[in-house]
């Protein structure tokens, strides 16, 4: 079993990868432009978020007041910021599959006693996660789940953002420093039992100093002033936090945790949200120098580094189109783009034609031709292209391929072509899932079998928020 310190390093490595590939700058730019002009649906489309709700239908069914409140929230929803903060799983940092996250809830006065209406964000099951798309829908307790079936339509108690609107609402984005613990407040006071490994938990990324305040927020949302809250530390590890009622101690700045112990049976108790259990990854990435401020989401950068001049985020680097050198027959030759395709530059066409005929007859081609062929079949940047495809950045992956091989190149058989074909087939599967034509995964391809254990609905090897 790995130590807590090793788990902390793995968690930061995971989020460093997520920040590199999961929300490309082109998505942030397009979604922000649409949001700033009031086009919330266009912002969702730019951030690869499918909208499974109709405001007119909401007004007819639940009343104009709820529809107006919902419309106001949607106009201030930053779908790219939501994608930035959604829970991820190891090893690739993909969205946690099969998840329903409550963003906010609405309860009307005339519907007291009825389960509130939730605005939820959903991720597809692992077998249909091509494109890493998200969907928005309403949950009313009776299964208003949108256009397609979902394995877990009910909002998850552990993964919820309704108590953390700063993770998706631009009106509250500046609360990130205080809610993440980078700015200490008097409410960040926790009474800890000495028999617990608090320092190890802090080093592993747990927001121990925020548990008291966050537990008080949770209990207030449940309509209580004090009581017990469960904190999940692992698949079979729980802490039971006893929160004193507000005002019980006149000297206390706020609600305080008066005791902690391992929980046995904790069914029915409120669960501290995952976003409150862990510290936000971005402040720690900044502190350790694993990411630059300019690489953060602009709303996150403005909250964590106010006053810092944030330049327009540039896209992740793609292979340069400049000619590359190849050792060929005792000298260095160049290969580069010719008429939109990769080709040797220091051999005349007649010589290349002869060498291609020789290779077709099972001969040994020139090193320059071998380099071109290897670049077509398995380029050095294949892991980068694969990561872009896995995170749904098809445009970025194709841009990298075009910069490498040229826009007029015809892909040859090999790993690069297989990756692109698999990505296209997985998108078809997602389309079938969205259309409600399949409710379970098809037979996995060879690469899917390798990832099956890590990309199921409840993976065994996960790194939580």
């Amino acid at each position: 079993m790995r130590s807590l310190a090793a788990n902390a390093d793995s968690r930061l490595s995971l989020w460093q990868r997520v920040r590199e590939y999961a929300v490309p700058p082109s998505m942030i730019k397009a979604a922000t432009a649409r949001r700033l002009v009031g086009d919330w649906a266009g912002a969702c489309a730019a951030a690869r978020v499918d909208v499974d709700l109709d405001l007119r239908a909401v007004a007819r069914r639940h009343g104009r007041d709820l529809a107006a409140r919902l419309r106001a929230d949607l106009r201030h929803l930053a779908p790219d910021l939501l994608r930035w903060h959604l829970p991820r799983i190891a090893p690739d940092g993909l969205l946690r599959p099969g998840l329903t996250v409550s963003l906010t809830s609405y309860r009307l006065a005339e519907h007291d006693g009825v389960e509130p209406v939730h605005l939820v964000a959903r991720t597809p099951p692992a077998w249909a996660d091509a494109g890493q798309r998200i969907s928005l829908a309403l949950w009313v307790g009776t299964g208003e789940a949108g256009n397609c079936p979902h394995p877990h339509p009910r909002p998850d108690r552990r993964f919820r953002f309704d108590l953390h609107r700063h993770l998706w609402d631009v009106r509250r984005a500046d609360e990130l420093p205080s809610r993440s613990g980078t700015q200490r407040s008097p409410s960040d006071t926790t009474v800890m039992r000495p028999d617990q490994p608090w320092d190890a938990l802090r080093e592993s990324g747990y927001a121990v100093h925020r548990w008291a305040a966050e537990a008080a927020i949770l209990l207030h949302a449940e309509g209580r002033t004090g009581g017990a809250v469960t904190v999940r530390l692992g698949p079979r590890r729980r802490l039971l936090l006893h929160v004193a009622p507000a005002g019980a101690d006149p000297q206390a700045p706020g609600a305080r945790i008066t005791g902690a112990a391992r929980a046995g049976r904790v069914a029915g108790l409120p669960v501290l949200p995952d976003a409150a259990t862990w510290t936000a990854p971005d402040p720690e990435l900044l502190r350790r120098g694993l990411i630059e401020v300019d690489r953060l989401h602009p709303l996150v950068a403005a909250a964590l580094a106010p006053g810092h001049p944030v330049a327009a985020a540039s896209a992740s680097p793609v292979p340069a189109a400049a000619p590359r050198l190849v050792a060929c027959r005792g000298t260095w030759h160049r290969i580069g783009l010719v008429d939109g395709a990769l080709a040797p530059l220091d051999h005349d066409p007649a010589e290349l034609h002869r060498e291609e005929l020789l290779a077709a007859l099972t001969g040994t081609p020139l090193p320059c031709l071998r380099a071109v062929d290897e670049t077509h079949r398995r380029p050095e940047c294949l892991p980068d292209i694969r990561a872009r495809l896995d995170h749904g950045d098809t445009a970025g992956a194709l841009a990298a391929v075009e910069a490498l091989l040229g826009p007029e190149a015809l892909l040859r058989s090999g790993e690069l072509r297989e990756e692109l074909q698999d990505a296209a087939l997985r998108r078809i599967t997602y389309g079938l899932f969205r259309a409600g034509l399949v409710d379970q995964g098809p037979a996995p391809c060879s690469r899917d079998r390798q990832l099956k254990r890590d990309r199921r609905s409840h993976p065994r090897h996960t790194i939580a928020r």
Side-chain angles (χ1 to χ4, degrees), residues 43 45 49 80 88 195 246 256 271 296-297 306 391-392 439 446 460:
V49 176
D80 47 318
R88 304 277 172 171
D195 59 343
R256 294 168 61 88
V271 179
L296 292 174
H297 189 287
H391 285 277
D439 57 2
S446 58
R460 292 183 181 178

Side-chain angles (χ1 to χ4, degrees), residues 83-426:
R83 179 180 293 276
W84 185 274
H85 289 299
L86 277 177
R88 304 277 172 171
I89 63 169
D92 298 321
L94 303 182
L95 291 171
R96 189 177 184 89
L99 191 63
T100 296
V101 178
S102 175
L103 302 184
T104 188
S105 60
Y106 309 95
R107 188 188 295 277
L108 301 182
E110 60 268 25
H111 293 148
D112 286 343
V114 180
E115 184 172 353
V117 178
H118 291 266
L119 172 64
V120 298
R122 291 195 172 104
T123 60
W127 57 266
D129 66 351
Q132 290 288 277
R133 298 189 71 87
I134 307 166
S135 63
L136 285 181
L138 288 184
W139 169 258
V140 295
T142 56
E144 188 174 330
N147 300 328
C148 58
H150 194 272
H152 307 288
R154 178 178 292 275
D156 195 290
R157 291 201 309 156
R158 175 185 165 201
F159 300 101
R160 53 187 294 188
F161 283 4
D162 57 325
L163 305 180
H164 298 81
R165 291 180 68 111
H166 61 283
L167 300 181
W168 61 269
D169 190 333
V170 295
R171 295 168 294 185
R172 307 276 290 274
D174 57 352
E175 296 178 7
L176 178 60
S178 60
R179 296 297 296 273
S180 64
T182 56
Q183 290 181 356
R184 296 298 181 100
S185 65
S187 61
D188 294 348
T189 303
T190 305
V191 177
M192 308 175 192
R193 284 180 49 176
D195 59 343
Q196 298 292 335
W198 301 110
D199 291 339
L201 290 176
R202 289 193 191 93
E203 293 175 359
S204 299
Y206 290 98
V208 176
H209 61 285
R210 282 289 304 170
W211 284 355
E214 295 293 340
I217 294 173
L218 173 61
L219 289 173
H220 178 74
E222 300 283 338
R224 301 159 58 184
T225 58
V229 173
T230 303
V231 181
R232 185 183 186 275
L233 299 182
R236 297 183 181 180
R237 297 181 61 199
R238 303 290 188 274
L239 279 178
L240 190 61
L241 306 179
H242 300 280
V243 183
D249 183 358
Q251 302 300 323
R256 294 168 61 88
I257 297 177
T258 58
R262 288 185 179 275
R265 298 181 179 180
V266 293
L269 292 179
V271 179
L272 195 68
D274 217 51
T277 303
W278 296 85
T279 57
D282 294 318
E284 188 64 17
L285 291 174
L286 282 175
R287 188 179 69 84
R288 298 199 182 191
L290 299 177
I291 193 172
E292 299 293 333
V293 175
D294 293 344
R295 293 293 299 168
L296 292 174
H297 189 287
L299 292 173
V300 175
L304 295 180
H308 185 279
V310 180
S314 59
S316 299
V318 296
R324 283 158 285 169
L325 297 178
V326 177
C328 181
R329 294 181 175 178
T331 186
W332 290 101
H333 287 173
R334 301 165 299 153
I335 59 174
L337 299 184
V338 177
D339 296 330
L342 189 66
L345 301 179
D346 296 320
H347 297 274
D348 59 73
E351 181 183 12
L352 291 177
H353 183 65
R354 291 195 304 269
E355 292 294 333
E356 289 171 352
L357 288 177
L358 177 63
L361 297 173
T362 70
T364 301
L366 285 170
C368 287
L369 290 178
R370 291 202 301 270
V372 171
D373 187 69
E374 180 67 16
T375 304
H376 270 268
R377 301 183 191 278
R378 195 181 190 284
E380 294 181 358
C381 64
L382 182 59
D384 177 82
I385 296 174
R386 181 184 293 125
R388 294 173 188 271
L389 292 174
D390 287 344
H391 285 277
D393 186 14
T394 305
L398 293 180
V401 172
E402 288 189 1
L404 183 69
L405 302 178
E408 302 299 325
L410 296 178
L411 285 178
R412 305 172 188 178
S413 60
E415 292 187 35
L416 175 59
R417 182 172 176 175
E418 290 174 359
E419 288 291 340
L420 296 174
Q421 289 177 335
D422 284 348
L425 292 175
R426 294 196 298 270

Side-chain angles (χ1 to χ4, degrees), residues 6-87:
N7 289 334
D9 293 340
S10 298
R11 177 174 179 267
L12 290 179
S13 297
L14 171 76
W15 282 105
Q16 187 181 23
R17 181 179 180 85
V18 169
R19 296 299 179 246
E20 183 176 0
Y21 293 109
V23 190
S26 58
M27 173 189 291
I28 297 175
K29 181 179 180 180
T32 302
R34 300 316 308 165
R35 175 176 54 80
L36 291 178
V37 297
D39 183 7
W40 64 267
C44 288
R48 298 199 301 272
V49 176
D50 300 310
V51 180
D52 291 336
L53 55 87
D54 186 331
L55 290 176
R56 292 183 179 178
V58 172
R60 289 194 301 268
R61 180 172 182 180
H62 304 290
R64 293 184 177 181
D65 180 62
L66 188 146
R69 293 161 60 187
L70 174 61
R71 182 182 291 108
D73 283 335
L74 290 174
R75 289 175 66 89
H76 293 94
L77 164 69
D80 47 318
L81 183 64
L82 171 64
R83 179 180 293 276
W84 185 274
H85 289 299
L86 277 177

